[in-house]
Amino acid sequence: MDFTLSDDQKMILGLVEEVCEKEFAPRADEVSTKGEFPAENIKKLAELDLFGITIPEKYGGLGMGYLTWALISEKISRACATTGLIFGANLLCTYPLLQFGSEEQKNKFLPPLAKGESLGAFALTEPEAGSDAGNVQMTAKKEENHYVLDGNKIFITNGEVADTYIVIANMDKSRGARGLTAFIVEKGNSGFAFGQHFEKMGLSALPNVELIFDNCKIPLENLLFKEKRGFRVAMRTFAAGRIGVGIGALGVAEAAFEKAKEYSKQRIQFGKSISSFQAIQHTLADMATQIEAAKYLLYRAAWLLDEGEPFEKISSMGKLYASEVAMRVTTKAVQVFGGYGYTKDYPVERYMREAKLFEIIEGTSEIQRGVIASLILKE
């Protein structure tokens, strides 16, 4: 593995870090408190062409690969987890288009996604289908010159702010996962509407919305890949998406660690800073070590993806470990702050609430352990 950065990568990361420090981080608390979609942040990412990092140049992107994308996403998530997750959810649309889309589909949908002129989303989750991804109840049937989709999706990140959706529906429920099929659905499609906006413990500005499909007709050319091969599309997308979720968790953990470290130097108790106490030193040492370990798992997963090597096991390991590290680190950060950590005067309580989501989305910790065990037992 070689994580040496090129001059182009260093330049882009420098620009991203500057924007994150000057613009995203200062308004992260406001984004969370108001619960408003961070449109200014998304506009800035589009201006920097960051949505096209993994998209080849012939489709309007920069073609710089998934490791570069991960490094950028880490900085964004460290500054504003909401913006990081919106940025990451876009990958769940562009990745399956790149892997499974026809040339016509790539030419139509990827350029506006690469330029940030439109946002993407991935829709599989339903009331009875989340961890049990093969239990999708939403139906799809083929008619003369179109497909008809019926059913609801829930908790869809980028919800109604997206323009292009990869939607998983079932063409044959009797076959379970073998009946799943992937479709491209565009906002404004007749029979496609938005329902409940879910209020959450944290990340209140992150759009997680119910999608409603009622006799929704989509053209035949919007079939993604092949009929009844949607489970493969979903699993490959989840594997790549887990890198993004892990990176988001990593960013939150890093932000919490930095705040705890700074505070420990400033907080005076018994006549000296609490950073001089061994208990606090050991806490900071554990936090820093776990963050570094999570970082290299995730970097390796992204590097393997770029190299065209099997990456699914490492991406699941990275997502599992990073999400649990984020929960541990943010909890310890609150502890370092003491009573102040439990107040909204400092951001560590927000980090703690945000961290919990990463243990749940893109496959819970329990699901990740099952995926990892299955993969290592096949080796």
Side-chain angles (χ1 to χ4, degrees):
M1 290 181 296
D2 184 4
F3 298 148
T4 303
L5 301 181
S6 68
D7 290 340
D8 285 346
Q9 288 173 314
K10 290 176 182 177
M11 180 190 70
I12 289 176
L13 288 170
L15 287 172
V16 172
E17 188 164 10
E18 183 178 356
V19 168
C20 286
E21 289 180 359
K22 291 183 178 179
E23 300 183 35
F24 294 0
R27 55 178 175 241
D29 278 326
E30 182 183 2
V31 166
S32 177
T33 301
K34 290 186 175 181
E36 295 177 357
F37 181 74
E40 289 182 36
N41 293 359
I42 302 307
K43 181 181 178 182
K44 192 67 180 182
L45 294 178
E47 290 173 356
L48 294 173
D49 273 345
L50 297 181
F51 286 108
I53 285 292
T54 63
I55 298 174
E57 292 182 18
K58 67 177 180 177
Y59 304 122
L62 299 180
M64 297 188 71
Y66 291 93
L67 178 57
T68 305
W69 181 92
L71 294 168
I72 290 169
S73 187
E74 180 183 351
K75 291 186 181 299
I76 296 170
S77 298
R78 182 171 173 171
C80 178
T82 299
T83 304
L85 281 165
I86 293 167
F87 182 69
N90 208 58
L91 186 77
L92 297 178
C93 181
T94 59
Y95 180 81
L97 281 169
L98 281 168
Q99 294 296 310
F100 299 101
S102 66
E103 200 61 25
E104 291 75 18
Q105 290 170 339
K106 292 175 183 178
N107 282 317
K108 178 179 179 180
F109 294 107
L110 286 175
L113 288 165
K115 296 299 181 185
E117 296 168 358
S118 66
L119 287 177
F122 182 84
L124 181 144
T125 305
E126 300 176 1
E128 301 302 325
S131 294
D132 185 4
N135 195 36
V136 168
Q137 298 301 301
M138 179 176 167
T139 61
K141 61 181 179 180
K142 187 176 183 179
E143 296 188 348
E144 288 184 4
N145 58 356
H146 57 257
Y147 291 96
V148 179
L149 306 184
D150 282 289
N152 292 17
K153 300 292 184 182
I154 60 171
F155 303 142
I156 305 306
T157 303
N158 282 358
E160 62 185 5
V161 300
D163 302 279
T164 306
Y165 300 77
I166 306 300
V167 179
I168 306 297
N170 205 325
M171 294 192 73
D172 187 350
K173 289 185 181 180
S174 68
R175 300 186 65 193
R178 293 176 181 270
L180 299 189
T181 306
F183 300 94
I184 306 167
V185 180
E186 299 173 74
K187 179 185 280 184
N189 206 114
S190 177
F192 174 33
F194 305 104
Q196 180 181 358
H197 289 243
F198 296 93
E199 295 186 14
K200 305 179 294 297
M201 178 171 70
L203 296 155
S204 59
L206 180 69
N208 294 104
V209 179
E210 178 185 22
L211 309 184
I212 301 171
F213 299 87
D214 183 9
N215 195 37
C216 176
K217 297 181 176 67
I218 65 167
L220 297 179
E221 58 265 28
N222 279 25
L223 169 70
L224 182 62
F225 193 38
K226 299 177 182 178
E227 291 183 0
K228 303 178 184 178
R229 298 291 182 87
F231 190 72
R232 180 181 172 189
V233 175
M235 292 303 100
R236 287 280 295 181
T237 302
F238 282 150
R242 283 166 185 157
I243 299 173
V245 172
I247 286 290
L250 175 64
V252 172
E254 288 177 322
F257 168 71
E258 288 299 326
K259 293 296 183 185
K261 182 177 70 172
E262 292 169 10
Y263 183 80
S264 74
K265 295 176 181 179
Q266 299 165 4
R267 176 65 169 167
I268 304 298
Q269 290 288 275
F270 305 103
K272 53 187 176 180
S273 70
I274 64 173
S275 64
S276 65
F277 300 140
Q278 190 178 65
I280 298 298
Q281 292 175 355
H282 287 185
T283 295
L284 293 173
D286 286 343
M287 294 162 80
T289 301
Q290 291 166 14
I291 286 170
E292 286 300 308
K295 182 180 296 186
Y296 286 107
L297 267 175
L298 291 164
Y299 287 5
R300 185 183 176 206
W303 179 83
L304 288 169
L305 180 53
D306 280 334
E307 294 295 310
E309 298 290 336
F311 68 96
E312 292 83 357
K313 180 183 73 175
I314 304 300
S315 71
S316 283
M317 288 178 170
K319 190 273 181 186
L320 168 65
Y321 188 69
S323 63
E324 295 192 347
V325 163
M327 200 67 239
R328 288 196 295 270
V329 167
T330 55
T331 301
K332 287 296 185 181
V334 170
Q335 191 72 17
V336 169
F337 274 78
Y340 287 116
Y342 201 66
T343 72
K344 293 186 181 295
D345 293 340
Y346 294 90
V348 288
E349 63 84 27
R350 169 168 61 83
Y351 298 147
M352 186 176 173
R353 288 184 288 109
E354 290 173 342
K356 187 59 195 173
L357 182 65
F358 295 97
E359 292 186 308
I360 298 169
I361 58 173
E362 293 300 308
T364 62
S365 292
E366 293 76 15
I367 289 295
Q368 297 311 315
R369 287 184 167 89
V371 170
I372 295 164
S374 174
L375 291 170
I376 61 177
L377 290 171
K378 289 178 181 177
E379 292 177 344

